[in-house]
Amino acid sequence: MEVREGAVTIEVPEKRHGASEGSGEGVFYNPVQELNRDITVGVLRAVDSECGSYLDAMTASGIRAVRAAEAGYSVTGCDVDSEAVELARANLERNGLDGAIHRRNVNAHMHESHHDVVDLDPFGTPIPFVDAAFRSARNYVCVTATDTAPLCGAHFESGVRSYGAVPRNTEFHPEMGLRVLLSALVRTAARYDIAATPVLSHVSSHYVRTYLRLDGGAQAADRRIEKLGYIDHCQQCLWRDHERTLVADPTAECPECGQSTWTAGPVWLGPPHDPAFVGEAAAAIPEDAATAEEARDLLDSIAAELDTPTHYDQHRLYSRWGEPNVAMDEFLVTLRDAGYPASRTHYGGTTFKTDAGVDEIYDALH
Ligand SMILES: C[S@@+](CC[C@H](N)C(=O)[O-])C[C@H]1O[C@@H](n2cnc3c(N)ncnc32)[C@H](O)[C@@H]1O
Ligand SMILES: [Zn+2]
């Protein structure tokens, strides 16, 4: 089956009826990830004055490698599956593009070669690949993680094992998942005296995607470690607090209602985005990308997002208050008029960010 993405056309296997994604039947291709790939092309175009080579670490059909090559990059792809390797090579050729596709365990490849941008797009957790990725990448590491249940604490033990952090299944799970992932990535980079800085991140349907800029040096890496810390949260009254620290100092009892609290961490408490970078990536999304409008809206919303490590769900608050909810725009204006910074979030229409506490939000709206 032929599919068109942006300026390229590739061949992908016809999806067999009933086969689930990643079920091992044929080479993997997920049309839902086109948004993710369109944003990647925007990022690659935005950084092309400093970057020229791109590793599509798990290439499958070769779609990322083909799109990066079309954007002017010198591309390399790896896959352990020989069918994928053949298909990826044929897809580059079909578009008249050059690139090297290797049948290889990409961890071995990354320990031996360097690329300006390394893109990890594995099944599930990226953790088995991140050490090698930080050794291999010169400028940027891009990571997709589809194991959102471990990341946000819904599969607690698996999250602890994979990410070396305590994830908690709070009502702000997109933010929890993103910040647990960023914590593990920043700590992994720091082990090699690399300072990793997230410049763009999005939590979309069933996956987390992040782009990290790399700078060398132990001291710069230390500055990133200083942005890790812990979030305390009360499941009862939704009180929350956070502290940048290496040594956890949990508030055991909720100061508002006295219930015992949950502590998550170490999580990334620095900004997950650089708004200027997000703006440049949005401007560089090609017009012919099928999701161009959706991708730009998403990035605009990210650039305008308040930098708080937690968010609230407006519906959840109103159901606690036993009242019908106010329209989100009006709700946010009221909060801002009361003196509290407030914004929407990019991952959901009912979620918002503010530095106000639950009682302050209530008072502002009543
Ligand atoms: C989620 S798919 C990649 C999808 C692709 N990047 C895209 O955008 O459509 C994951 C791929 O990783 C490959 N893979 C798994 N383990 C690998 C390893 N150790 N080295 C290289 N490729 C690997 C699988 O064969 C599979 O094709
Ligand atoms: Zn409480």
Side-chain angles (χ1 to χ4, degrees):
M1 181 175 79
E2 258 194 5
V3 295
R4 184 158 190 86
E5 273 200 21
V8 307
T9 304
I10 65 155
E11 183 74 27
V12 298
E14 198 87 51
K15 194 148 173 57
R16 266 166 264 180
H17 185 67
S20 62
E21 299 302 350
S23 61
E25 290 196 41
V27 178
F28 179 94
Y29 172 77
N30 185 358
V32 173
Q33 294 273 9
E34 187 165 358
L35 172 78
N36 179 332
R37 290 185 286 267
D38 286 348
I39 293 174
T40 304
V41 173
V43 167
L44 290 177
R45 284 163 51 114
V47 302
D48 65 0
S49 58
E50 48 170 332
C51 300
S53 63
Y54 172 82
L55 173 67
D56 180 6
M58 299 88 181
T59 202
S61 67
I63 181 62
R64 284 174 186 275
V66 173
R67 295 196 64 185
E70 195 276 327
Y73 277 73
S74 158
V75 302
T76 306
C78 278
D79 208 291
V80 284
D81 176 22
S82 53
E83 222 184 308
V85 169
E86 270 175 42
L87 184 61
R89 284 181 184 150
N91 279 329
L92 274 169
E93 207 176 299
R94 154 190 309 268
N95 290 279
L97 296 164
D98 288 330
I101 306 290
H102 305 299
R103 183 180 174 206
R104 194 132 196 246
N105 184 329
V106 73
N107 271 330
H109 174 86
M110 289 190 291
H111 275 292
E112 290 168 359
S113 355
H114 294 282
H115 306 268
D116 294 339
V117 182
V118 170
D119 193 341
L120 300 181
D121 187 28
F123 295 131
T125 178
I127 286 298
F129 303 100
V130 296
D131 284 85
F134 286 116
R135 305 285 275 181
S136 178
R138 291 191 197 92
N139 300 74
Y140 289 90
V141 167
C142 330
V143 180
T144 304
T146 56
D147 58 331
T148 50
L151 277 168
C152 73
H155 293 170
F156 181 79
E157 286 83 1
S158 163
V160 172
R161 276 199 314 278
S162 291
Y163 295 98
V166 173
R168 292 294 189 186
N169 194 6
T170 59
E171 83 277 9
F172 45 92
H173 46 91
E175 206 68 35
M176 179 65 63
L178 171 60
R179 287 169 188 279
V180 166
L181 175 66
L182 290 175
S183 162
L185 295 175
V186 166
R187 283 181 284 124
T188 303
R191 292 215 297 269
Y192 306 104
D193 291 348
I194 295 167
T197 310
V199 286
L200 167 57
S201 311
H202 57 107
V203 186
S204 300
S205 50
H206 309 302
Y207 67 90
V208 182
R209 174 73 167 167
T210 186
Y211 299 80
L212 301 137
R213 195 188 61 236
L214 310 184
D215 297 290
Q219 287 180 351
D222 288 343
R223 302 289 85 76
R224 299 304 174 280
I225 293 291
E226 285 165 5
K227 293 192 164 65
L228 298 173
Y230 293 82
I231 298 175
D232 291 332
H233 181 251
C234 174
Q235 288 290 98
Q236 182 69 27
C237 74
L238 309 182
W239 170 87
R240 71 278 308 266
D241 197 10
H242 62 274
E243 187 188 2
R244 286 185 186 179
T245 173
L246 277 182
V247 182
D249 181 19
T251 307
E253 266 184 19
C254 172
E256 298 289 335
C257 76
Q259 285 288 314
S260 57
T261 64
W262 274 359
T263 301
V267 294
W268 173 254
L269 292 176
H273 323 286
D274 170 349
F277 184 95
V278 175
E280 285 161 25
I285 290 173
E287 282 310 321
D288 58 11
T291 78
E293 208 181 310
E294 187 189 347
R296 276 196 287 262
D297 284 352
L298 180 73
L299 297 189
D300 287 351
S301 158
I302 286 171
E305 211 171 82
L306 202 64
D307 178 22
T308 61
T310 68
H311 60 80
Y312 294 94
D313 189 314
Q314 198 210 25
H315 285 185
R316 187 147 176 201
L317 288 182
Y318 275 97
S319 76
R320 290 168 64 86
W321 298 336
E323 297 168 15
N325 61 294
V326 170
M328 184 59 97
D329 283 333
E330 188 190 332
F331 179 87
L332 293 176
V333 168
T334 311
L335 264 183
R336 286 190 208 112
D337 285 350
Y340 302 109
S343 77
R344 288 177 176 270
T345 75
H346 70 276
Y347 36 70
T350 68
T351 52
F352 67 97
K353 291 185 150 199
T354 182
D355 58 10
V358 177
D359 288 347
E360 291 166 328
I361 300 171
Y362 182 88
D363 291 343
L365 269 297
H366 290 85

